[in-house]
Amino acid sequence: MAEVVEFRVPMGSARTLLVWGLEPEPGLEHSLFSVFSTFGPLYSVRVHSNAAVAGPGSYAILKFYSTGDASRAQRACNGQRLFQKSPLKVCVCTKQRESFQHQVFALNSTKCQELANHYLGFNGWSSRIITLQNVSGFDDENEEVERTIQKQSVKYLCALEVTLPQHGVRSRGVALGEAEVENTEDPLEFVKATRRVQKLAAGKALSSAFQKILLIVLENGKVAVEYNSSHEEPTDSLSEEELKGLVQVNELSLEQFDIEEDGEVLSDLSLDDELLSN
């Protein structure tokens, strides 16, 4: 049976495993990741100490992108010793908090790249920046006065395209990056802030582009790809020249591109410097 894998934070109990009976040891998260990642890509591994009433030891919560991978891992690892002396207990979580069931979060750019590399291969996809423009001066007058009194900020808008040549799929993402400049009297601070914001905008745009791509994982392990047009934005139908022109004349509403991602960390961005310099 085929399964759809999205470039979003995996939700639902069927993708989450509870592992208990863990013996405390250094590098426990790494040991768990090494074993369970052999069944498929993992979104997260979290280790927690048992409550006092439960006695010494730890338990872990593992989140897969695929329900099939989670199910195979549970069947293969439950009751096995794996990396410790006593056997582990592994089960699929039966329920999650309702407040999180219907929330959907975009994967950050690093996670998107990891997932794409796993299912498509390192050479199965590519990305290129269409435009990366400084939009710091596009604030309205009231906002500009407020920022002058407080701190100055740097804003960049990035339009980026992801291409999957073997599947004939192209997807575009547009996103805004912004950061405040701590010391406005130091020119170097502006340079550093600009670099951070460029990477942030490019990372968010990459994430946005991947949100429109669906991976269909077949039973034989092969992967098909579909473009999810329901997530299209008005800018997706524009040519590159039209998009660049809209940014230059300030006809875009920047707020719509301020994408919320799950835990995007600037230091984790692995976008090549060559990509930003193009």
Side-chain angles (χ1 to χ4, degrees):
M1 184 176 180
E3 181 179 2
V4 175
V5 175
E6 298 183 82
F7 287 89
R8 298 177 178 273
V9 175
M11 302 302 294
S13 56
R15 294 181 173 89
T16 306
L17 295 184
L18 175 63
V19 182
W20 72 100
L22 291 168
E23 300 169 1
E25 64 175 51
L28 187 53
E29 284 191 3
H30 177 73
S31 298
L32 287 165
F33 183 87
S34 297
V35 170
F36 284 90
S37 62
T38 60
F39 298 94
L42 284 163
Y43 170 72
S44 64
V45 177
R46 299 286 185 267
V47 175
H48 305 275
S49 299
N50 289 342
V53 294
S58 303
Y59 69 95
I61 297 175
L62 286 67
K63 188 171 290 188
F64 285 85
Y65 291 98
S66 162
T67 58
D69 293 344
S71 178
R72 286 191 295 273
Q74 188 276 327
R75 294 195 302 269
C77 297
N78 185 38
Q80 301 300 314
R81 290 183 173 83
L82 300 179
F83 49 81
Q84 62 179 35
K85 295 180 180 180
S86 58
L88 298 175
K89 296 179 181 179
V90 184
C91 71
V92 176
C93 289
T94 56
K95 62 181 180 179
Q96 291 181 330
R97 295 178 182 176
E98 289 187 9
S99 59
F100 294 103
Q101 283 289 349
H102 303 294
Q103 292 183 357
V104 179
F105 297 99
L107 281 183
N108 66 42
S109 59
T110 302
K111 295 286 189 181
C112 285
Q113 292 176 83
E114 291 175 354
L115 197 59
N117 289 338
H118 177 83
Y119 284 110
L120 304 172
F122 289 94
N123 298 319
W125 67 278
S126 63
S127 64
R128 68 180 183 90
I129 290 177
I130 299 171
T131 184
L132 180 62
Q133 297 192 24
N134 188 342
V135 293
S136 303
F138 285 4
D139 304 277
D140 59 41
E141 294 183 1
N142 293 333
E143 188 175 347
E144 187 68 33
V145 171
E146 183 180 343
R147 289 190 181 279
T148 301
I149 296 174
Q150 299 176 357
K151 294 181 179 179
Q152 293 189 36
S153 67
V154 178
K155 288 183 180 180
Y156 268 81
L157 189 71
C158 179
L160 180 148
E161 184 178 68
V162 170
T163 303
L164 283 57
Q166 297 178 3
H167 301 276
V169 172
R170 294 176 182 270
S171 179
R172 182 185 293 176
V174 181
L176 178 71
E178 179 180 10
E180 291 184 341
V181 181
E182 296 295 333
N183 184 2
T184 58
E185 297 181 358
D186 185 357
L188 185 58
E189 284 297 316
F190 279 100
V191 175
K192 292 179 179 178
T194 296
R195 194 62 178 172
R196 290 198 308 271
V197 171
Q198 287 178 337
K199 284 194 171 186
L200 177 60
K204 286 186 173 183
L206 183 69
S207 174
S208 175
F210 272 118
Q211 305 316 303
K212 302 161 191 172
I213 296 174
L214 299 177
L215 303 174
I216 296 89
V217 183
L218 308 177
E219 283 189 85
N220 59 10
K222 293 184 177 181
V223 178
V225 176
E226 287 189 8
Y227 180 77
N228 188 358
S229 58
S230 65
H231 293 158
E232 278 190 336
E233 300 162 346
T235 53
D236 289 334
S237 60
L238 300 177
S239 67
E240 293 183 14
E241 291 73 17
E242 290 172 329
L243 180 57
K244 292 177 183 178
L246 284 177
V247 173
Q248 290 168 354
V249 300
N250 191 20
E251 291 186 10
L252 288 177
S253 174
L254 300 181
E255 289 75 13
Q256 65 179 306
F257 303 116
D258 192 9
I259 301 168
E260 291 292 335
E261 295 182 321
D262 174 61
E264 182 74 82
V265 180
L266 292 178
S267 60
D268 288 343
L269 292 176
S270 56
L271 296 172
D272 294 335
D273 287 345
E274 295 180 3
L275 187 62
L276 289 173
S277 62
N278 288 341

